[in-house]
Amino acid sequence: MPKVNLTYIGLKLAVIRAARKARNLADRQEKLTATLKEQSDEVVRIADQIASLNVDASTVAETKEVGRYMHVLWKAATYYATAAQETSKYAFAADRQAQESHGGIKEAADKSPVKMADRGWYKQE
């Protein structure tokens, strides 16, 4: 198994990058979901308009069906957008927890009067 060179700083940077990426993707998903809702409503409105213009019933029915399908897709996209926002929140919470749990370790070791707290001490042994 390959050796992994993992440091607190490296992990912290990776977590914050992942959290920011999750937030950006969640924001994009919300915008796409809003667009899908607008388009779904527009197709239903068009179906009502063409019905009032006495367009043949099968065309009106097909247009309404497309609107219904788009509405179902919009609902699914809404659930996905909500899950994406939750993922983003959890990623930022993981970063905060890491800071609370481990953020002071380096500072404490740097201030410690004990020789073993000095990284150089381990290299001498």
Side-chain angles (χ1 to χ4, degrees):
M1 184 158 68
K3 182 179 178 184
V4 176
N5 188 12
L6 183 65
T7 65
Y8 169 71
I9 297 298
L11 179 61
K12 179 172 174 29
L13 291 173
V15 168
I16 198 69
R17 275 193 306 266
R20 286 179 182 155
K21 187 174 182 178
R23 179 185 289 159
N24 289 339
L25 291 172
D27 290 345
R28 282 181 52 205
Q29 179 61 33
E30 280 192 355
K31 288 176 186 173
L32 290 170
T33 299
T35 300
L36 184 56
K37 171 69 168 128
E38 291 170 9
Q39 291 174 350
S40 170
D41 292 344
E42 182 69 11
V43 169
V44 170
R45 187 183 65 74
I46 289 169
D48 292 338
Q49 284 180 341
I50 64 173
S52 70
L53 296 172
N54 295 324
V55 172
D56 65 289
S58 62
T59 301
V60 173
E62 288 173 0
T63 306
K64 285 186 179 188
E65 187 175 4
V66 168
R68 281 192 297 273
Y69 287 140
M70 288 178 71
H71 187 76
V72 170
L73 289 172
W74 164 73
K75 280 192 164 197
T78 300
Y79 294 128
Y80 183 78
T82 301
Q85 286 294 346
E86 289 296 312
T87 300
S88 172
K89 288 177 190 174
Y90 289 135
F92 279 101
D95 177 55
R96 282 191 304 278
Q97 182 61 49
Q99 287 178 27
E100 291 172 12
S101 299
H102 306 293
I105 291 174
K106 182 184 180 319
E107 291 81 8
D110 289 346
K111 293 177 184 176
S112 176
V114 179
K115 286 173 70 177
M116 289 179 10
D118 180 14
R119 211 182 295 189
W121 183 83
Y122 291 102
K123 292 179 181 175
Q124 293 173 8
E125 294 299 309

